[in-house]
Amino acid sequence: MTEDAAGRPLRADARRNRARVLEAAETVLARDGLSASMRAVAEEAGVGLGTIYRHFPTQEALYQAIIADRLRKLVTEGETLLAAGDIARAFFGFLTRIVEVSAEKRTLSDALTGAGVDVKDGTSDIARDMRALIETMLTRAQREGAVRDDLRMPELLALLAAACTAVERGQWQAHVAPRALAVLFDGFRPRVRRDVPEGEQGAHPEP
Amino acid sequence: MTEDAAGRPLRADARRNRARVLEAAETVLARDGLSASMRAVAEEAGVGLGTIYRHFPTQEALYQAIIADRLRKLVTEGETLLAAGDIARAFFGFLTRIVEVSAEKRTLSDALTGAGVDVKDGTSDIARDMRALIETMLTRAQREGAVRDDLRMPELLALLAAACTAVERGQWQAHVAPRALAVLFDGFRPRVRRDVPEGEQGAHPEP
DNA sequence: CACCATACGGAACACTTGTTCCGGATGTCA
DNA sequence: TGACATCCGGAACAAGTGTTCCGTATGGTG
């Protein structure tokens, strides 16, 4: 990304400013989430508005560049976890990391459900990789009995996105987030068959 | 609410318009969520902007009036459920209803966590009632063994708010919502002690 | 019916947002 | 160093927001 659209190398100041814009956007997105304004980015970068638009045709392009980058890093992390061997640790650890990064960067939840993501942008490719990785982990975790068999991707992603959104919006205070996640993850685990012969679990009074 | 601030009865057209505004706001909030604009409400009500501001000093006042009303109806529903006797059914049924209403009305999630709710507004009173009712249900459900003992209000509300937010933002498609909720609720239920003597559950390979 | 406090409508204001545009500055290369 | 393509800054534009204001209309009353 140090080249012109026509292959010419960028001028030194242009390259410098491009980096500044990216770094500033990173900071501002972490502070304000996806509602961060272009003016806030410009100010943080110490740069004019026109400079931003010279490098990124639109706000969405700029933000997606950063989100895609974060997704990419996460996927790399996830692959490392997966390679480590312990699938239960990888599965739950990865989900935890996703929520953690959401909390720090306030910018991931939409990418998980694919909300408002177009088919041809760069985000959707890496988002697909992300989902594929999660699915791999899910399948293997189920095969090894660490996760209930009837958990499917749609509800897994729905719950994950919900957690990320809540965290991004500050609805999960830092000290309750781990407890909430623990409860959520327990719902992912296989239920152990009770001695009770009939009826759905948890729907009976009298201990 | 058919009276002046000074106790005088409202003029007929004023009373009529007030009702129209409330109904329109209901509709528009259900359609657009909390980002609904005052102009949209005015248009839906067939009324001028000034008319809205005559009855509600601010956008927040109007929206909180409606949210408080929805919370009030929900609390009534919840009390009925509680009185029915089956605490497990009441607890999980009530939580389900809250999420359902969130989906229809797109306007509850903030009220649950108390996000941006001031101390002296009308919403916070009923929101407190709501939380108290949930806590009553939680405690009784735990006493009867339908819910795990270590589930506390903060994480319960955090998870509930997350589900509501996700649903309001359309991140939970209608057909996955029940499955996601079922998984979430399973996390609320008591874990049955495994025959395995040591180690954390779900962290072991080999089925 | 006539009066007037009450209520209405919507233009106008102040502000924020994303985006465009262009005169002027600046890096690069002969 | 000079020349010029490249790049920068920020004013300006268009669209949206919540809110205020005031001339006009109207329901209730004597």
Side-chain angles (χ1 to χ4, degrees):
Chain A
M1 272 299 197
T2 55
E3 289 191 350
D4 201 46
R8 287 179 293 265
L10 285 179
R11 238 171 63 176
D13 53 345
R15 199 163 52 239
R16 192 168 51 237
N17 279 324
R18 189 177 201 283
R20 276 188 193 172
V21 167
L22 279 172
E23 192 178 359
E26 187 92 26
T27 302
V28 172
L29 276 178
R31 172 161 36 87
D32 302 336
L34 282 175
S35 66
S37 76
M38 292 299 256
R39 277 168 181 79
V41 175
E43 191 177 358
E44 174 74 28
V47 133
L49 273 173
T51 305
I52 298 183
Y53 280 94
R54 163 155 286 268
H55 293 289
F56 302 92
T58 202
Q59 183 182 49
E60 205 183 340
L62 170 59
Y63 288 0
Q64 277 181 354
I66 289 174
I67 292 174
D69 184 61
R70 289 176 182 170
L71 280 177
R72 224 170 282 123
K73 288 178 182 166
L74 258 179
V75 167
T76 303
E77 259 190 76
E79 285 166 345
T80 304
L81 280 172
L82 184 59
D86 185 337
I87 184 59
R89 183 183 296 280
F91 179 75
F92 290 111
F94 190 42
L95 298 186
T96 303
R97 274 302 289 155
I98 292 173
V99 175
E100 281 173 3
V101 171
S102 251
E104 291 162 23
K105 313 291 186 159
R106 315 186 53 178
T107 205
L108 284 183
S109 64
D110 288 336
L112 291 173
T113 46
V117 179
D118 228 338
V119 184
K120 49 181 167 184
D121 64 30
T123 308
S124 70
D125 289 339
I126 184 68
R128 227 190 322 277
D129 292 348
M130 179 76 157
R131 285 193 289 270
L133 177 57
I134 293 176
E135 188 157 23
T136 301
M137 288 187 177
L138 171 63
T139 307
R140 288 185 41 180
Q142 286 173 327
R143 198 157 46 213
E144 304 208 1
V147 170
R148 57 198 282 179
D149 284 318
D150 62 345
L151 181 66
R152 298 286 141 74
M153 281 296 282
E155 53 263 28
L156 172 56
L157 286 181
L159 288 164
L160 182 61
C164 289
T165 302
V167 148
E168 288 172 17
R169 295 181 34 149
Q171 288 180 340
W172 281 20
Q173 284 159 333
H175 67 281
V176 299
R179 299 186 58 84
L181 260 195
V183 171
L184 179 61
F185 287 171
D186 278 345
F188 292 175
R189 301 211 162 86
R191 304 247 86 209
V192 184
R193 192 152 280 298
R194 253 178 162 165
D195 301 328
V196 186
E198 294 289 335
E200 65 276 274
Q201 284 183 343
H204 295 291
E206 304 306 321
Chain B
M1 271 300 197
T2 56
E3 290 190 351
D4 202 47
R8 286 178 295 266
L10 285 180
R11 234 170 66 175
D13 55 343
R15 201 164 49 239
R16 191 168 52 237
N17 278 325
R18 189 177 202 281
R20 275 188 194 170
V21 167
L22 279 173
E23 192 179 0
E26 188 91 25
T27 303
V28 172
L29 276 178
R31 172 161 36 87
D32 303 335
L34 282 175
S35 67
S37 77
M38 292 300 256
R39 278 169 181 76
V41 175
E43 191 177 357
E44 173 75 28
V47 132
L49 272 173
T51 304
I52 298 184
Y53 280 95
R54 162 155 289 268
H55 293 289
F56 302 93
T58 203
Q59 184 181 52
E60 206 183 340
L62 169 60
Y63 289 0
Q64 278 182 353
I66 289 172
I67 292 174
D69 183 60
R70 289 176 181 170
L71 281 178
R72 225 170 281 124
K73 287 178 183 167
L74 259 179
V75 167
T76 303
E77 260 190 75
E79 286 167 344
T80 304
L81 281 172
L82 185 58
D86 186 337
I87 184 59
R89 183 184 295 278
F91 179 75
F92 290 111
F94 189 43
L95 297 186
T96 302
R97 274 301 289 156
I98 292 173
V99 174
E100 281 174 2
V101 171
S102 251
E104 292 163 22
K105 313 292 185 154
R106 315 187 52 177
T107 205
L108 285 183
S109 65
D110 288 336
L112 291 173
T113 46
V117 178
D118 228 337
V119 184
K120 49 181 166 184
D121 64 29
T123 308
S124 70
D125 289 338
I126 184 67
R128 227 192 320 276
D129 292 348
M130 179 77 159
R131 285 194 288 271
L133 176 57
I134 294 176
E135 189 157 23
T136 301
M137 288 187 178
L138 171 63
T139 307
R140 287 185 42 181
Q142 286 174 326
R143 199 156 45 212
E144 304 207 0
V147 170
R148 58 198 281 179
D149 284 319
D150 62 346
L151 181 66
R152 296 286 141 75
M153 281 295 284
E155 54 264 28
L156 172 56
L157 286 180
L159 287 163
L160 181 60
C164 289
T165 303
V167 149
E168 286 171 19
R169 294 182 32 150
Q171 287 180 340
W172 280 20
Q173 284 158 333
H175 67 281
V176 299
R179 299 185 58 84
L181 261 194
V183 171
L184 181 60
F185 287 170
D186 278 344
F188 292 175
R189 301 210 162 86
R191 303 246 87 211
V192 183
R193 192 153 280 298
R194 252 177 163 166
D195 301 329
V196 187
E198 294 289 334
E200 65 275 274
Q201 284 182 341
H204 296 289
E206 302 306 319

